[in-house]
């Protein structure tokens, strides 16, 4: 009976869908839903407050860099204060800031709240990814992180269109209070999770180290940077590009992207766990490369949606594979810092892309996606170099 008992114990250890994993996925869904609903509506709110296009860019971008700057600190306190402290604090800050949008009567107040929102987002997403990593069996990490990411992707599928639909029916005050309510639901769900206890380090130091990243996570994070570089161009300029080309259906782009991203997540994680990142990264980045070329061309709605599908399939496989790679070699006490490093490069790619593409736009919106395709090629070349170096 003992071998049977041992086998049963091993199966239990390898289970992904535990009570706590379901809770962290649900919390992730609701906070992402609240966030995604604000993405297309914040620019409209800025316009209502009297801001111009330049202010729209500043207010959209300042959030990204606020989250970027806070992530390394979040990684440190995940290991010192614990997962639960950071996650609940981040969600509470998110609720305060997004709910506060409802009462923002000036651009200055909105900018301050966006900075605060970035802090909450940096804390909550870094902690959420680390909590999920703690809960997933190591030999199923790629698959598990794919499922965890899926919870945010479902929110991406419906959040932007829901926000745009509601803003035509209810006031901005009501909309932002609703977004804050979704964040509060996430906070309630997260409060029910049993978090991993922080391991106390035996070695204490009185000196402060310049420690803003986890070195074992650098390679996959740099690869992610070149890929998320294209996000800034898509989020900011694709609507303008489609209008200029006379292409309709831009509101369906993100829906198709999210649907095919979710499809990819159902099998790409398992492929990573069985075969490794080689079988996921290169096929995925090739699909993203094709999507960028199609967006540069963009003759009609069918091509727009086909590009969205390719991008979703590619990114849905690449992102969780790179995240699993980023955390798998980190020390147990550095998993939080590894996740912080990973998402910092994610934010950096988006932020740098948005700024640089703003300058490239003077040569035509199509050139933005040619530059994005070039960035993806750079990630593929770098990956091949790193892979060949590793197997020597």
């Amino acid at each position: 009976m003992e071998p049977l008992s041992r086998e049963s114990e091993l199966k239990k250890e390898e289970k992904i869908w535990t009570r706590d994993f379901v809770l962290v996925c649900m919390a992730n869904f609701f906070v992402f839903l609240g966030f995604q609903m604000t993405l297309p509506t914040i620019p409209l709110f800025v316009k209502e407050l009297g801001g111009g296009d330049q202010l729209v860019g500043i207010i959209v971008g300042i959030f990204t860099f606020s989250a970027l700057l806070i992530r390394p600190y979040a990684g440190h306190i995940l290991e010192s204060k614990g997962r639960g402290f950071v996650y609940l604090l981040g969600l509470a800050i998110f609720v305060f800031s997004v709910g506060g949008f409802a009462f923002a009567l000036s651009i200055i107040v909105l900018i301050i709240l966006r900075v605060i929102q970035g802090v909450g987002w940096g804390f909550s997403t870094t902690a959420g990814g680390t909590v999920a990593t703690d809960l997933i069996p190591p030999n199923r990490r790629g698959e598990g992180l794919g499922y965890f990411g899926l919870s945010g992707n479902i929110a991406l599928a419906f959040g932007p269109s829901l926000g745009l639909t509601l803003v035509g029916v209810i006031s901005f005050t009501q909309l932002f209070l609703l977004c804050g309510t979704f964040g509060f639901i996430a906070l309630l769900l997260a409060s029910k999770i049993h978090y991993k206890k922080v391991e106390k380090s035996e070695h204490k130091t009185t000196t402060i180290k310049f420690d803003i990243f986890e070195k074992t996570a650098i390679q996959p994070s740099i690869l992610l940077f070149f890929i998320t570089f294209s996000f800034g161009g898509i989020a900011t300029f694709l609507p303008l590009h489609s209008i200029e080309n006379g292409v309709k259906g831009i509101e369906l782009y993100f829906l198709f992207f999210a649907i095919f991203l979710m499809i990819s997540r159902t099998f790409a994680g398992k492929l990573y766990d069985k075969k490794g990142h080689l079988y996921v990264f290169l096929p995925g980045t090739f699909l993203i490369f094709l999507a960028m070329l199609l967006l540069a061309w963009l003759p009609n709605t069918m091509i727009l949606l086909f590009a969205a599908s390719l991008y979703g399939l590619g990114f849905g496989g690449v992102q969780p594979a790179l995240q699993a790679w980023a955390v798998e070699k980190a020390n147990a006490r550095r998993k939080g810092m590894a996740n912080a490093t990973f998402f910092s490069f994610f934010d950096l790619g988006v932020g740098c892309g948005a700024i640089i593409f703003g300058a490239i736009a003077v040569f035509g919106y199509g050139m933005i996606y040619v530059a994005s395709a070039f960035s993806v090629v750079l990630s593929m070349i770098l990956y091949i170099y790193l892979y060949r170096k590793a197997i020597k």
Side-chain angles (χ1 to χ4, degrees):
M1 291 295 290
E2 190 177 340
L4 185 61
S5 175
R6 178 62 179 162
E7 185 179 340
S8 174
E9 187 179 326
L10 285 172
K11 284 184 178 179
K12 186 178 180 181
E13 288 175 359
E14 293 177 354
K15 185 179 178 182
I16 291 179
W17 292 103
T18 60
R19 169 190 174 276
D20 288 333
F21 185 71
V22 171
L23 284 173
V24 76
C25 286
M26 290 176 65
N28 196 56
F29 166 77
F30 278 106
V31 73
F32 265 81
L33 182 62
F35 171 70
Q36 295 293 345
M37 286 172 65
T38 66
L39 271 183
T41 54
I42 283 287
L44 300 177
F45 186 52
V46 174
K47 291 284 188 179
E48 185 172 279
L49 291 176
D53 292 334
Q54 191 173 5
L55 270 174
V56 169
I58 291 172
I59 291 172
V60 169
I62 200 170
F63 163 84
T64 299
F65 286 100
S66 174
L68 169 66
L69 291 173
I70 204 66
R71 286 196 194 279
Y73 179 64
H76 282 297
I77 62 174
L78 275 168
E79 310 302 347
S80 59
K81 298 290 186 180
R83 281 37 167 165
F85 173 81
V86 182
Y87 197 25
L88 295 176
L89 175 63
L91 290 172
I93 293 173
F94 178 85
V95 172
F96 168 78
S97 58
V98 174
F101 293 164
F103 307 101
L105 300 177
S106 68
I107 294 292
I108 295 298
V109 172
L110 183 59
I111 289 174
I112 293 170
L113 287 172
R114 283 289 282 175
V115 172
I116 296 171
Q117 184 194 11
V119 172
W121 190 250
F123 274 145
S124 61
T125 52
T126 302
T130 305
V131 171
T133 301
D134 290 341
L135 296 170
I136 299 166
N139 64 329
R140 299 184 69 185
R141 187 161 285 149
E143 180 185 357
L145 285 174
Y147 293 140
F148 175 71
L150 194 60
S151 61
N153 302 143
I154 294 172
L156 171 62
F158 302 106
S161 57
L162 178 60
L164 286 170
T165 300
L166 289 177
V167 83
V169 179
I170 62 178
S171 67
F172 280 110
T173 298
Q174 293 170 317
L175 175 71
F176 293 136
L177 286 176
L178 179 61
C179 294
T181 300
F182 287 139
F184 184 68
I185 293 172
L187 179 61
L188 291 178
L189 291 166
S191 69
K192 302 297 182 181
I193 297 171
H194 298 106
Y195 295 96
K196 174 185 174 182
K197 292 183 178 179
V198 175
E199 298 176 17
K200 300 293 182 181
S201 177
E202 297 178 6
H203 306 287
K204 292 185 178 180
T205 179
T206 56
T207 60
I208 299 175
K209 294 182 178 179
F210 183 73
D211 183 17
I212 60 171
F213 58 79
E214 166 55 38
K215 63 181 181 180
T216 61
I218 288 295
Q219 290 184 0
S221 298
I222 291 175
L223 294 171
L224 181 75
F225 168 84
F226 286 112
I227 295 166
T228 59
F229 195 78
S230 62
F231 268 47
I234 289 172
T236 309
F237 297 104
L238 190 56
L240 297 173
H241 184 39
S242 63
I243 291 172
E244 186 177 75
N245 286 24
V247 175
K248 297 181 179 179
I250 185 62
E251 68 279 358
L252 295 175
Y253 177 90
F254 293 102
L255 179 61
F256 271 67
F257 166 73
I259 289 171
F260 280 87
L261 188 145
M262 287 187 281
I263 292 171
S264 180
R265 289 269 166 99
T266 62
F267 64 84
K270 292 180 180 180
L271 183 61
Y272 171 87
D273 290 330
K274 291 181 179 179
K275 298 286 189 177
H277 45 69
L278 175 66
Y279 288 82
V280 178
F281 184 83
L282 289 178
T285 47
F286 182 69
L287 292 177
I288 295 172
F289 170 73
L290 290 179
M292 292 302 102
L293 292 183
L294 290 174
L295 288 178
W297 178 34
L298 200 61
N300 53 51
T301 302
M302 185 181 73
I303 293 298
L304 175 71
L305 300 183
F306 185 47
S309 305
L310 291 178
Y311 197 85
L313 282 174
F315 193 78
V318 168
Q319 190 266 332
L322 288 178
Q323 187 178 359
W325 180 6
V327 300
E328 68 182 7
K329 292 185 179 179
N331 181 280
R333 296 194 73 254
R334 298 281 293 179
K335 299 294 186 187
M337 201 62 198
N339 267 308
T341 301
F342 182 80
F343 284 110
S344 291
F345 276 81
F346 190 116
D347 293 336
L348 188 62
V350 175
C352 290
I355 293 170
I356 292 172
F357 291 145
I360 293 176
V362 298
F363 301 103
Y365 294 127
M367 288 303 298
I368 290 173
Y369 304 100
V370 172
S372 294
F374 178 71
S375 180
V376 175
V377 170
L378 285 179
S379 74
M380 296 171 77
I381 293 171
L382 178 59
Y383 176 82
I384 293 169
Y385 167 77
L386 293 172
Y387 183 78
R388 292 183 66 180
K389 185 179 178 181
I391 62 176
K392 281 185 178 179

